[in-house]
Amino acid sequence: MHRSEYSVYTTGSWQPFPGQDEAFIAAREEFAGWAAGLDGAGAGIRAREMRAEGRYVRFVGWNDMEAVRGWKEHSEFKERMSRVQQFVDRFAPTELEVVARLQGEA
């Protein structure tokens, strides 16, 4: 599915404990690699907040909400997420449904 066609996105805002950025990134990438292989999972982007040092945001497109539920209800989800959470001071997950699309020139 082309990235502009996803109907649902999950996002997470992550703030690792001081000095834990590298360990967090490694654990988060392992988690993301696992999730990317699940049915309905799409492309993901990890970004670093430019105005808040040490804060990261991840965006992942999903085919539909059923795919998101399947991911979160997977038997391995909690264990794999806990490997990431051990390095995290603050975490805020969000699930977003697309309600409109804008076409740019690029």
Side-chain angles (χ1 to χ4, degrees), residues 9 15 41-42 56 72 75 82 94:
Y9 289 83
Q15 178 102 29
Y56 299 88
K72 290 188 173 186
S75 61
S82 71
T94 306

Side-chain angles (χ1 to χ4, degrees), residues 7-26:
S7 62
V8 175
Y9 289 83
T10 55
T11 70
S13 175
W14 307 81
Q15 178 102 29
F17 290 113
Q20 295 295 311
D21 286 46
E22 288 184 29
F24 159 72
I25 290 169

Side-chain angles (χ1 to χ4, degrees), residues 8 12 17-18 20 23 35 37 39 42 44 46-47 56 59 64 71 74 78 81 83-84 89 100-103:
V8 175
F17 290 113
Q20 295 295 311
D39 288 342
R46 185 186 68 215
Y56 299 88
F59 300 86
D64 52 38
W71 168 55
H74 193 284
K78 286 183 182 181
M81 179 59 81
R83 293 181 204 159
V84 178
D89 185 25
R101 297 187 189 282
L102 304 173
Q103 297 297 327

Side-chain angles (χ1 to χ4, degrees), residues 1 3 9 14-16 32-33 38 48 58 70-71 76 88 94:
M1 184 176 279
R3 68 176 176 226
Y9 289 83
W14 307 81
Q15 178 102 29
L38 298 176
R48 185 176 57 230
R58 180 101 182 171
W71 168 55
E76 295 181 39
V88 175
T94 306

Side-chain angles (χ1 to χ4, degrees), residues 41-85:
I45 297 171
R46 185 186 68 215
R48 185 176 57 230
E49 170 67 52
M50 295 173 64
R51 293 185 284 175
E53 186 175 335
R55 182 171 165 240
Y56 299 88
V57 179
R58 180 101 182 171
F59 300 86
V60 178
W62 295 86
N63 290 347
D64 52 38
M65 198 60 207
E66 288 180 27
V68 174
R69 280 191 215 103
W71 168 55
K72 290 188 173 186
E73 293 171 359
H74 193 284
S75 61
E76 295 181 39
F77 181 87
K78 286 183 182 181
E79 178 186 337
R80 288 177 176 272
M81 179 59 81
S82 71
R83 293 181 204 159
V84 178
Q85 292 287 348

